[in-house]
Amino acid sequence: MGIISVFTSGYTWQVTIIILLAYLISIVVSIVMHEYAHAYVAHKNGDDTAKVMGRMTLNPIAHFDIMGFLFLLLVGFGWAKPVPVDERNFRNIKKGRILVGLAGIVTNVILGIICTFLYVLFYNILDTSIYFCLFVVLLFEYMALINFMLAIFNILPIYPLDGFNLLTSFTKPGNKYVNFMYRYGSLILILLLLVGLGYGINYVINWVFEGLVWLFMLMF
């Protein structure tokens, strides 16, 4: 979801504000938790680079990336400022690289599952004709969707995403693909988003979310 679609959907101004507020809060919380997870796991593996640079924090300003945030707002896919990591400080370099690479993705998957459950719970017990109740339901729906988006998006093997960092853990340093990605990865990522990568990711996100909704609905 992007903010443009909200303004063109014909909602009342009250509902529009509720949707935008829930969406923005979901973006901020999901991204902050993703980046904090990277910094925390790096710290636990012996590297305090992120901590020293003020990135092991829940302060969203520390993780803000203007381009990634704009893409999230406009097209529903984006990123935060990568957490700085110095792998030379890891007690075990390969293990540390893998764990740090997985940290954000795993955090988003766990948060996505929890928020899907809370969405189903509040959808069944709250009256969404009341604005505050609508906000609560939408907040957990968007939180679930954005966390699944971040998990699936970041697993792509394109620099500077987590999937690329995981890939480098199992390949020889300085190979052609790695060097190519270091040089052109960010540009490739933006071009893929512009030409429709998001539609494929959206399909997977919706499939995961709707499957979990169906599963949790069996509990009510």
Side-chain angles (χ1 to χ4, degrees):
M1 184 188 81
I3 59 173
I4 295 176
S5 63
V6 176
F7 290 109
T8 59
S9 298
Y11 297 119
T12 65
W13 68 267
Q14 296 96 330
V15 172
T16 298
I17 290 174
I18 288 171
I19 291 174
L20 291 176
L21 186 60
Y23 187 55
L24 288 171
I25 292 174
S26 300
I27 289 174
V28 171
V29 173
S30 302
I31 285 180
V32 166
M33 294 303 296
H34 179 99
E35 297 303 327
Y36 179 82
H38 283 310
Y40 179 77
V41 172
H43 164 69
K44 296 299 287 186
N45 279 272
D47 177 36
D48 281 337
T49 304
K51 184 178 181 180
V52 170
M53 296 181 67
R55 296 296 305 279
M56 199 171 86
T57 176
L58 297 177
N59 180 359
I61 296 175
H63 307 294
F64 184 78
D65 180 276
I66 183 63
M67 184 63 71
F69 184 71
L70 286 175
F71 265 86
L72 261 171
L73 284 179
L74 297 175
V75 301
F77 294 88
W79 55 90
K81 188 192 305 180
V83 165
V85 175
D86 188 342
E87 297 177 348
R88 294 172 298 180
N89 295 324
F90 289 152
R91 287 182 288 273
N92 181 311
I93 291 179
K94 184 171 184 178
K95 178 183 176 183
R97 184 187 298 163
I98 293 171
L99 292 176
V100 171
L102 286 172
I105 295 170
V106 172
T107 297
N108 288 135
V109 170
I110 293 172
L111 286 174
I113 294 171
I114 292 172
C115 290
T116 303
F117 173 77
L118 292 174
Y119 161 74
V120 172
L121 172 66
F122 289 124
Y123 179 84
N124 279 278
I125 66 175
L126 296 180
D127 180 1
T128 54
S129 65
I130 300 170
Y131 288 141
F132 177 75
C133 295
L134 176 63
F135 168 76
V136 171
V137 170
L138 288 176
L139 177 65
F140 286 111
E141 180 182 8
Y142 295 155
M143 281 278 288
L145 291 170
I146 290 172
N147 273 285
F148 287 137
M149 179 278 293
L150 287 171
I152 294 168
F153 182 65
N154 273 283
I155 207 167
L156 297 174
I158 302 173
Y159 177 81
L161 301 180
D162 299 335
F164 174 79
N165 295 326
L166 286 171
L167 180 67
T168 61
S169 302
F170 301 97
T171 58
K172 294 180 180 180
N175 66 71
K176 291 182 179 179
Y177 179 80
V178 169
N179 290 336
F180 178 80
M181 276 296 156
Y182 276 132
R183 179 173 292 186
Y184 301 112
S186 297
L187 177 61
I188 291 171
L189 191 60
I190 292 173
L191 290 175
L192 286 173
L193 286 173
L194 291 175
V195 300
L197 173 67
Y199 291 108
I201 296 177
N202 258 328
Y203 177 83
V204 178
I205 293 168
N206 289 331
W207 182 82
V208 171
F209 178 69
E210 290 170 7
L212 284 172
V213 168
W214 175 82
L215 185 65
F216 288 137
M217 280 289 188
L218 297 178
M219 301 171 62
F220 292 92

